[in-house]
Amino acid sequence: MTTVLLILGGAIVAFIFARSFFTLIFSMQNHGTHKERMKQLRRDGEEEDDSDDTTAKVVDIVTKPIISYLLPKIKPSAYEELERDLKFAGWDLYFTPHQFRATNLLLKVLGIVALFAFWPMGWFFALIFFGLLFFMFGFLFRNSIKNRQEALFGEFPEFIQIIQGYLMANIPLTKAVEETIPYVNEEWRGFLKDFVLNSNIHSVPEAIDTLCDDVNVFEVREFFSLVKLNLEQGINIKESFESQNEKVKEMQMEVMLNKIGRRQMMAKVVQAPLLLCMFAAAGLPTFYSMMNFTTL
């Protein structure tokens, strides 16, 4: 009896923790929209919601013992790269690199505990809780990075074409980027504003370096690295962009193929339940007849 009560108690605690934690994690997917709304509220003179600060404090309290006593004994990781990924994914509001690693480690331990706690109640539910706690945190983080990369890459070819149009009118690169900001999506605006600021404070090559560090998309880094190389070789910025026309066209083609691929996949996903329903509807009369035949 005592064992059963302990198992039930552990299951309830694990369920409450998992639901609260993954509610927090899934809410990070709307982090950009939330920040934009907070800016609008502050402009309207309303009070700012302190829920983000509360969440950050809870994460700090939970992870502090692990950071203080356990992480120093574990092989160090590349925290600089992790910090860039957290900022890129929008998770830096909730986690520092040490807090992220501590949280990931804590969830993996809880996943193993949940596996043994739920196993007497059924291996299926035990594996579900184990998978959620052990793998979901890292999966959501990688998925956040991937989604933002796709959003940035999807708008990149059009963004380059707009800049190229300004450059053809002999407008300097910094001014061209500044004029392009109203025509790009929210994902790009922050990066372009930082580019203009860094160009005015430092120089265009340094602004390009910062942009390449912040934007975690290979094609974007490659494009601007070539632009910087051409600038260092004394090639006109307009000619530098014109020389990469073919690359931009290839990017546009890749974006279109990705969109077509996603639509085809969604079509297949939608078709599967419809086919099952059609088979079930077609088979019901036969099943009914067989049941009546059996009863006779």
Side-chain angles (χ1 to χ4, degrees):
M1 186 65 181
T2 305
T3 306
V4 175
L5 290 176
L6 288 174
I7 293 173
L8 289 175
I12 292 171
V13 171
F15 175 76
I16 293 173
F17 177 84
R19 188 180 69 171
S20 302
F21 187 82
F22 286 112
T23 298
L24 161 65
I25 297 303
F26 280 113
S27 69
M28 291 181 187
Q29 307 300 320
N30 299 320
H31 174 233
T33 305
H34 175 72
K35 288 199 300 184
E36 186 64 27
R37 181 57 184 156
M38 287 300 103
K39 291 178 182 178
Q40 294 174 358
L41 291 176
R42 287 196 293 273
R43 284 196 295 266
D44 295 337
E46 298 180 17
E47 292 184 0
E48 181 182 0
D49 186 9
D50 60 349
S51 59
D52 291 339
D53 293 335
T54 303
T55 303
K57 289 178 182 177
V58 171
V59 171
D60 181 60
I61 293 171
V62 172
T63 58
K64 198 169 185 177
I66 301 175
I67 294 172
S68 300
Y69 301 106
L70 189 58
L71 287 187
K73 299 178 182 179
I74 301 176
K75 183 180 179 180
S77 300
Y79 285 112
E80 292 183 2
E81 182 179 354
L82 178 57
E83 185 176 7
R84 287 195 299 269
D85 289 341
L86 288 170
K87 183 179 179 181
F88 182 78
W91 287 34
D92 58 319
L93 181 67
Y94 301 96
F95 300 100
T96 65
H98 290 83
Q99 289 174 342
F100 176 86
R101 195 178 181 204
T103 304
N104 192 27
L105 185 63
L106 175 62
L107 285 174
K108 289 184 183 300
V109 173
L110 288 175
I112 296 173
V113 172
L115 178 65
F116 289 102
F118 282 96
W119 193 268
M121 302 173 63
W123 63 269
F124 181 73
F125 292 103
L127 290 177
I128 288 177
F129 273 91
F130 171 76
L132 287 174
L133 292 170
F134 199 89
F135 298 109
M136 186 61 73
F137 184 69
F139 170 78
L140 289 174
F141 178 58
R142 291 188 297 271
N143 191 59
S144 297
I145 295 176
K146 182 180 177 182
N147 288 340
R148 195 168 193 199
Q149 286 176 333
E150 290 179 351
L152 290 170
F153 180 69
E155 293 291 327
F156 184 62
E158 288 79 6
F159 149 61
I160 291 299
Q161 285 188 333
I162 295 172
I163 291 181
Q164 190 173 359
Y166 283 107
L167 293 175
M168 293 294 291
N170 294 321
I171 295 176
L173 177 61
T174 303
K175 184 64 177 177
V177 172
E178 186 177 358
E179 294 294 333
T180 305
I181 292 175
Y183 303 104
V184 297
N185 62 3
E186 291 293 334
E187 298 291 340
W188 270 107
R189 286 181 185 174
F191 293 115
L192 298 187
K193 289 177 182 178
D194 290 341
F195 178 87
V196 173
L197 182 64
N198 291 324
S199 297
N200 292 326
I201 295 177
H202 304 291
S203 64
V204 172
E206 290 186 32
I208 291 176
D209 286 337
T210 303
L211 181 65
C212 291
D213 289 338
D214 293 340
V215 180
N216 189 16
V217 180
F218 173 76
E219 291 81 1
V220 177
R221 291 180 173 181
E222 183 183 27
F223 183 92
F224 280 105
S225 295
L226 290 173
V227 170
K228 181 188 174 185
L229 180 62
N230 290 336
L231 285 174
E232 292 174 347
Q233 293 176 348
I235 300 175
N236 184 274
I237 188 68
K238 181 171 64 175
E239 296 177 1
S240 175
F241 271 72
E242 289 178 354
S243 65
Q244 300 194 62
N245 266 335
E246 290 299 322
K247 186 177 291 293
V248 173
K249 290 179 181 178
E250 290 176 3
M251 290 181 186
Q252 287 178 318
M253 182 63 68
E254 186 174 348
V255 170
M256 291 301 298
L257 291 175
N258 289 337
K259 289 181 179 179
I260 293 172
R262 283 195 295 268
R263 289 174 183 174
Q264 289 177 341
M265 183 181 66
M266 288 300 299
K268 292 178 181 178
V269 170
V270 172
Q271 286 175 2
L274 291 177
L275 287 173
L276 289 175
C277 292
M278 291 173 63
F279 287 141
L284 280 176
T286 305
F287 179 74
Y288 180 75
S289 300
M290 290 177 62
M291 292 296 296
N292 287 338
F293 180 78
T294 304
T295 55
L296 293 174

